[in-house]
PDB file of all heavy atoms in Angstrom:
ATOM      1  N   GLU O1177      18.993 -11.868   4.315  1.00  0.00           N
ATOM      2  CA  GLU O1177      19.366 -11.174   5.550  1.00  0.00           C
ATOM      3  C   GLU O1177      18.207 -10.334   6.133  1.00  0.00           C
ATOM      4  O   GLU O1177      18.365  -9.709   7.161  1.00  0.00           O
ATOM      5  CB  GLU O1177      20.561 -10.233   5.318  1.00  0.00           C
ATOM      6  CG  GLU O1177      21.822 -11.004   4.956  1.00  0.00           C
ATOM      7  CD  GLU O1177      22.897 -10.121   4.254  1.00  0.00           C
ATOM      8  OE1 GLU O1177      22.633  -8.957   3.954  1.00  0.00           O
ATOM      9  OE2 GLU O1177      23.973 -10.685   4.022  1.00  0.00           O
ATOM     10  N   LEU O1178      17.067 -10.313   5.457  1.00  0.00           N
ATOM     11  CA  LEU O1178      15.947  -9.496   5.876  1.00  0.00           C
ATOM     12  C   LEU O1178      15.084 -10.242   6.922  1.00  0.00           C
ATOM     13  O   LEU O1178      15.041 -11.460   6.934  1.00  0.00           O
ATOM     14  CB  LEU O1178      15.055  -9.120   4.696  1.00  0.00           C
ATOM     15  CG  LEU O1178      15.715  -8.395   3.537  1.00  0.00           C
ATOM     16  CD1 LEU O1178      14.670  -8.131   2.446  1.00  0.00           C
ATOM     17  CD2 LEU O1178      16.362  -7.093   3.985  1.00  0.00           C
ATOM     18  N   SER O1179      14.376  -9.470   7.768  1.00  0.00           N
ATOM     19  CA  SER O1179      13.398 -10.068   8.684  1.00  0.00           C
ATOM     20  C   SER O1179      12.140 -10.453   7.889  1.00  0.00           C
ATOM     21  O   SER O1179      12.008 -10.081   6.723  1.00  0.00           O
ATOM     22  CB  SER O1179      13.023  -9.056   9.779  1.00  0.00           C
ATOM     23  OG  SER O1179      12.216  -8.042   9.212  1.00  0.00           O
ATOM     24  N   GLY O1180      11.231 -11.166   8.560  1.00  0.00           N
ATOM     25  CA  GLY O1180      10.012 -11.586   7.872  1.00  0.00           C
ATOM     26  C   GLY O1180       9.232 -10.448   7.246  1.00  0.00           C
ATOM     27  O   GLY O1180       8.820 -10.515   6.088  1.00  0.00           O
ATOM     28  N   GLY O1181       9.050  -9.370   8.052  1.00  0.00           N
ATOM     29  CA  GLY O1181       8.278  -8.229   7.558  1.00  0.00           C
ATOM     30  C   GLY O1181       9.000  -7.527   6.424  1.00  0.00           C
ATOM     31  O   GLY O1181       8.383  -7.077   5.444  1.00  0.00           O
ATOM     32  N   GLN O1182      10.329  -7.447   6.535  1.00  0.00           N
ATOM     33  CA  GLN O1182      11.105  -6.811   5.461  1.00  0.00           C
ATOM     34  C   GLN O1182      11.022  -7.605   4.169  1.00  0.00           C
ATOM     35  O   GLN O1182      10.915  -7.044   3.073  1.00  0.00           O
ATOM     36  CB  GLN O1182      12.561  -6.665   5.901  1.00  0.00           C
ATOM     37  CG  GLN O1182      12.751  -5.657   7.023  1.00  0.00           C
ATOM     38  CD  GLN O1182      14.118  -5.758   7.647  1.00  0.00           C
ATOM     39  OE1 GLN O1182      14.865  -6.737   7.463  1.00  0.00           O
ATOM     40  NE2 GLN O1182      14.475  -4.718   8.397  1.00  0.00           N
ATOM     41  N   LYS O1183      11.063  -8.947   4.310  1.00  0.00           N
ATOM     42  CA  LYS O1183      10.961  -9.799   3.111  1.00  0.00           C
ATOM     43  C   LYS O1183       9.606  -9.554   2.432  1.00  0.00           C
ATOM     44  O   LYS O1183       9.536  -9.467   1.190  1.00  0.00           O
ATOM     45  CB  LYS O1183      11.059 -11.264   3.503  1.00  0.00           C
ATOM     46  CG  LYS O1183      12.490 -11.718   3.742  1.00  0.00           C
ATOM     47  CD  LYS O1183      12.538 -13.191   4.109  1.00  0.00           C
ATOM     48  CE  LYS O1183      13.984 -13.618   4.244  1.00  0.00           C
ATOM     49  NZ  LYS O1183      14.183 -14.718   5.200  1.00  0.00           N
ATOM     50  N   GLN O1184       8.560  -9.475   3.237  1.00  0.00           N
ATOM     51  CA  GLN O1184       7.231  -9.251   2.655  1.00  0.00           C
ATOM     52  C   GLN O1184       7.157  -7.907   1.955  1.00  0.00           C
ATOM     53  O   GLN O1184       6.607  -7.761   0.878  1.00  0.00           O
ATOM     54  CB  GLN O1184       6.137  -9.339   3.727  1.00  0.00           C
ATOM     55  CG  GLN O1184       5.912 -10.746   4.257  1.00  0.00           C
ATOM     56  CD  GLN O1184       5.244 -11.627   3.230  1.00  0.00           C
ATOM     57  OE1 GLN O1184       5.359 -11.424   2.016  1.00  0.00           O
ATOM     58  NE2 GLN O1184       4.567 -12.676   3.675  1.00  0.00           N
ATOM     59  N   ARG O1185       7.726  -6.869   2.603  1.00  0.00           N
ATOM     60  CA  ARG O1185       7.716  -5.547   2.013  1.00  0.00           C
ATOM     61  C   ARG O1185       8.510  -5.532   0.695  1.00  0.00           C
ATOM     62  O   ARG O1185       8.103  -4.932  -0.285  1.00  0.00           O
ATOM     63  CB  ARG O1185       8.241  -4.501   2.984  1.00  0.00           C
ATOM     64  CG  ARG O1185       7.407  -4.350   4.229  1.00  0.00           C
ATOM     65  CD  ARG O1185       7.422  -2.935   4.789  1.00  0.00           C
ATOM     66  NE  ARG O1185       8.760  -2.463   5.163  1.00  0.00           N
ATOM     67  CZ  ARG O1185       9.389  -2.817   6.262  1.00  0.00           C
ATOM     68  NH1 ARG O1185       8.854  -3.661   7.117  1.00  0.00           N
ATOM     69  NH2 ARG O1185      10.591  -2.355   6.533  1.00  0.00           N
ATOM     70  N   PHE O1186       9.631  -6.244   0.736  1.00  0.00           N
ATOM     71  CA  PHE O1186      10.451  -6.285  -0.478  1.00  0.00           C
ATOM     72  C   PHE O1186       9.691  -6.986  -1.607  1.00  0.00           C
ATOM     73  O   PHE O1186       9.677  -6.545  -2.756  1.00  0.00           O
ATOM     74  CB  PHE O1186      11.812  -6.960  -0.242  1.00  0.00           C
ATOM     75  CG  PHE O1186      12.641  -6.992  -1.488  1.00  0.00           C
ATOM     76  CD1 PHE O1186      13.184  -5.812  -2.000  1.00  0.00           C
ATOM     77  CD2 PHE O1186      12.866  -8.180  -2.157  1.00  0.00           C
ATOM     78  CE1 PHE O1186      13.927  -5.821  -3.169  1.00  0.00           C
ATOM     79  CE2 PHE O1186      13.594  -8.198  -3.347  1.00  0.00           C
ATOM     80  CZ  PHE O1186      14.142  -7.026  -3.822  1.00  0.00           C
ATOM     81  N   SER O1187       9.039  -8.094  -1.273  1.00  0.00           N
ATOM     82  CA  SER O1187       8.332  -8.824  -2.332  1.00  0.00           C
ATOM     83  C   SER O1187       7.179  -7.964  -2.869  1.00  0.00           C
ATOM     84  O   SER O1187       6.826  -8.067  -4.065  1.00  0.00           O
ATOM     85  CB  SER O1187       7.880 -10.206  -1.877  1.00  0.00           C
ATOM     86  OG  SER O1187       6.774 -10.136  -1.041  1.00  0.00           O
ATOM     87  N   ILE O1188       6.564  -7.127  -2.003  1.00  0.00           N
ATOM     88  CA  ILE O1188       5.532  -6.218  -2.534  1.00  0.00           C
ATOM     89  C   ILE O1188       6.163  -5.157  -3.445  1.00  0.00           C
ATOM     90  O   ILE O1188       5.612  -4.832  -4.476  1.00  0.00           O
ATOM     91  CB  ILE O1188       4.742  -5.586  -1.366  1.00  0.00           C
ATOM     92  CG1 ILE O1188       3.908  -6.697  -0.700  1.00  0.00           C
ATOM     93  CG2 ILE O1188       3.811  -4.479  -1.881  1.00  0.00           C
ATOM     94  CD1 ILE O1188       3.092  -6.252   0.504  1.00  0.00           C
ATOM     95  N   ALA O1189       7.333  -4.707  -3.070  1.00  0.00           N
ATOM     96  CA  ALA O1189       8.045  -3.750  -3.938  1.00  0.00           C
ATOM     97  C   ALA O1189       8.237  -4.318  -5.320  1.00  0.00           C
ATOM     98  O   ALA O1189       8.088  -3.642  -6.344  1.00  0.00           O
ATOM     99  CB  ALA O1189       9.379  -3.332  -3.291  1.00  0.00           C
ATOM    100  N   THR O1190       8.610  -5.615  -5.362  1.00  0.00           N
ATOM    101  CA  THR O1190       8.869  -6.216  -6.687  1.00  0.00           C
ATOM    102  C   THR O1190       7.595  -6.307  -7.527  1.00  0.00           C
ATOM    103  O   THR O1190       7.678  -6.325  -8.748  1.00  0.00           O
ATOM    104  CB  THR O1190       9.495  -7.619  -6.571  1.00  0.00           C
ATOM    105  OG1 THR O1190       8.565  -8.496  -5.940  1.00  0.00           O
ATOM    106  CG2 THR O1190      10.801  -7.593  -5.779  1.00  0.00           C
TER     107      THR O1190
END
Side-chain angles (χ1 to χ4, degrees):
E1177 294 161 355
L1178 303 180
S1179 72
Q1182 291 168 344
K1183 281 181 176 151
Q1184 289 290 26
R1185 297 211 300 283
F1186 180 70
S1187 76
I1188 292 178
T1190 64

